[in-house]
Amino acid sequence: MKFASTINLTMSICAAAAALLGSGCSDEHMDEPAAESQSADACEHMVDGPFEAVSATIDAGEAGPALTETHTRYTIALSADPADPGSRIGYVDVVVDEPGELSVYLDAPVPLSVTAPSGDELAAEASEDSIAECIEVAMSHTYDVTVGTYRVRLGPTDREEASLVLITAGHGHE
Amino acid sequence: MSACACDAGEPFATVSPRLEAGVAVPEGRDAGMGWQRLASSYELRFTELSITAGDAVLIDTAEAIGFDPRMPPPGYSLCHNGHCHSDDGRLVSYEEIGAELAGGAGAVWVLALPVGMMDVLAGVSRPLACEPSCDLPLASITQVTMPVTRVRARGLVRDGRAPARIAGEVPWQLELELELELAGGPGEPLMLGGSLELAADRSHAPDVALTLELRPSSRIFDQVVWDQLELVPDSGPAMEPGFDLLGDAAAVSAVLAGLGELELGVEVTR
């Protein structure tokens, strides 16, 4: 049985996340009070995990590693940009199975762009270069997404890796 | 049993079961003209979809399995649809977990509803028969399971992504006999499940309308990597090259994973 829509923000986020990326949200979220904001939620996971490490692809035409979990800190290894060996870039894929909002929380001010399945670059609905809830998150971007696979490019940057947490929310949230 | 002597011989409840099945179009997946978007950015259209199932079984779960699915036992989490996720990554049925736990009494099924073949694409709406009887004994039914034994599907797939990974609209087919390993199936039925609250006792109205709902969608195929499938000659209905998913173990595994996420909806009214 599907999770019912609730007024519990955390449960709604978890339910939407489980549906949106087709993957689980840790059970602990089911017991947490409703008042936790999405940013606070992102902070918690940026600090406490769970953790996954992936290597981004350097080839824009090649399938990248698929980020399928929300509420998980992904540490993404970047590679030297063939066009500019002094900087690093990388591509990963985010698979979305329900429409809604996708927020990307980054641990450092790494340039990020998102390409929709159509091939068009997706403009962020909102971006923040800091959040009040913690210093471990340096910036965030929120996008309206529909069903499909989105290509995320990180960089150019001089950092060897970047970490991010994905948080989702469904449209028509009560 | 606290039944009044004057109620002796009367069933505690009488069920009128029905089956409803049809292709769902989840929010955000309608690509028009019968096409549905996949999470992989492909688009898919069904030209045939039939699912064959065995008996749907209503189970007095609290007694049967020795634990409450809302409170998974140690080593398990996220219990739903008749199974729990084990810490080592397995999907384990309630019955197996009950057998592992001390005090598990084994399945106590109350009522079986033969289902058979469902032409899901055409849509199904029909009454179901009851085994042994639609009259229920004293029971607290909280779970229903239904074994899927066969899936037959055909359609077209195209890429919704630019640049396209496959050219044009490609026919595909899948004929999966789940009980037969030799036919590409896992060798056992796929068990779908759902939760319900059906008390058969003297505290509730005896006449119960029960509807089982199955609404598969393109989600089943979300994890299929279409551009890695081999084009098989003469596989389409017009004898044109297409994808035969049964010929690719990864595709079969992806479809089984998608089928495993299907929810068996249950509506109870009295």
Side-chain angles (χ1 to χ4, degrees):
Chain A
M1 299 291 280
K2 285 192 174 180
F3 293 115
S5 295
T6 73
I7 60 172
N8 181 316
L9 179 62
T10 301
M11 180 148 332
S12 297
I13 288 171
C14 288
L20 189 61
L21 291 190
S23 58
C25 185
S26 71
D27 286 348
E28 64 196 38
H29 287 279
M30 300 306 176
D31 300 324
E32 289 179 353
E36 185 181 63
S37 70
Q38 183 169 283
S39 294
D41 194 17
C43 284
E44 177 186 334
H45 291 289
M46 189 66 81
V47 173
D48 295 331
F51 304 98
E52 289 228 17
V54 300
S55 294
T57 181
I58 196 71
D59 184 347
E62 182 182 286
L67 308 189
T68 59
E69 304 284 344
T70 60
H71 301 85
T72 297
R73 175 174 175 153
Y74 283 98
T75 298
I76 302 166
L78 307 175
S79 300
D81 183 353
D84 180 12
S87 67
R88 291 176 171 269
I89 62 170
Y91 296 90
V92 296
D93 289 337
V94 174
V95 179
V96 175
D97 75 350
E98 273 197 13
E101 285 189 345
L102 172 69
S103 294
V104 184
Y105 294 84
L106 290 152
D107 72 326
V110 174
L112 180 146
S113 65
V114 178
T115 303
S118 62
D120 298 326
E121 184 165 336
L122 196 63
E125 296 296 313
S127 293
E128 304 288 340
D129 58 8
S130 68
I131 61 174
E133 287 80 356
C134 68
I135 60 172
E136 286 81 3
V137 172
M139 64 192 318
S140 70
H141 306 284
T142 297
Y143 303 87
D144 271 343
V145 293
T146 184
V147 176
T149 297
Y150 290 75
R151 171 54 59 95
V152 174
R153 172 182 158 136
L154 296 158
T157 178
D158 57 2
R159 296 172 62 90
E160 294 188 354
E161 61 184 31
S163 290
L164 61 81
V165 173
L166 302 171
I167 304 283
T168 56
H171 282 153
H173 229 35
E174 292 179 354
Chain B
M1 198 161 76
S2 58
C4 164
C6 59
D7 290 329
E10 293 293 322
F12 288 90
T14 299
V15 175
S16 299
R18 290 192 61 81
L19 175 68
E20 305 277 340
V23 174
V25 185
E27 184 187 359
R29 289 184 178 254
D30 187 359
M33 304 297 287
W35 291 88
Q36 291 195 29
R37 295 187 187 90
L38 304 182
S40 54
S41 292
Y42 289 95
E43 294 177 355
L44 176 147
R45 184 161 72 90
F46 291 108
T47 56
E48 179 178 348
L49 178 60
S50 69
I51 296 175
T52 302
D55 294 353
V57 174
L58 303 184
I59 299 171
D60 194 334
T61 312
E63 179 176 346
I65 63 175
F67 73 96
D68 186 340
R70 293 165 295 183
M71 292 182 288
Y76 296 96
S77 62
L78 293 176
C79 294
H80 64 126
N81 285 358
H83 65 264
C84 302
H85 295 247
S86 73
D87 289 350
D88 61 6
R90 295 173 300 132
L91 290 179
V92 187
S93 71
Y94 290 166
E95 288 73 25
E96 287 179 77
I97 297 172
E100 290 174 12
L101 297 172
V108 177
W109 67 271
V110 178
L111 177 64
L113 307 172
V115 172
M117 195 276 280
M118 298 171 276
D119 185 342
V120 179
L121 186 61
V124 176
S125 178
R126 56 177 160 92
L128 294 171
C130 303
E131 298 285 343
S133 169
C134 293
D135 293 336
L136 299 184
L138 182 68
S140 176
I141 298 168
T142 56
Q143 193 69 25
V144 59
T145 62
M146 185 178 79
V148 172
T149 58
R150 186 183 193 213
V151 176
R152 181 187 170 98
R154 288 176 183 269
L156 296 169
V157 62
R158 67 190 184 193
D159 199 346
R161 191 171 181 171
R165 291 160 289 182
I166 60 174
E169 298 178 0
V170 182
W172 59 269
Q173 64 182 18
L174 172 68
E175 187 134 3
L176 192 58
E177 299 281 349
L178 286 120
E179 292 181 296
L180 302 177
E181 286 188 48
L182 290 176
E188 58 183 7
L190 179 73
M191 198 64 73
L192 303 183
S195 299
L196 70 157
E197 290 186 12
L198 173 48
D201 55 31
R202 298 300 180 212
S203 302
H204 294 82
D207 295 323
V208 181
L210 182 145
T211 303
L212 298 181
E213 282 196 28
L214 192 65
R215 306 275 181 204
S217 73
S218 60
R219 281 180 179 274
I220 295 173
F221 297 88
D222 268 355
Q223 298 178 50
V224 175
V225 185
W226 298 91
D227 60 309
Q228 293 186 4
L229 297 177
E230 186 179 339
L231 271 175
V232 176
D234 304 330
S235 72
M239 305 301 282
E240 57 190 302
F243 297 133
D244 185 352
L245 274 65
L246 193 62
D248 187 280
V252 171
S253 179
V255 170
L256 288 173
L259 288 169
E261 293 299 316
L262 265 182
E263 295 178 359
L264 183 58
V266 188
E267 183 179 347
V268 175
T269 55
R270 49 194 338 162

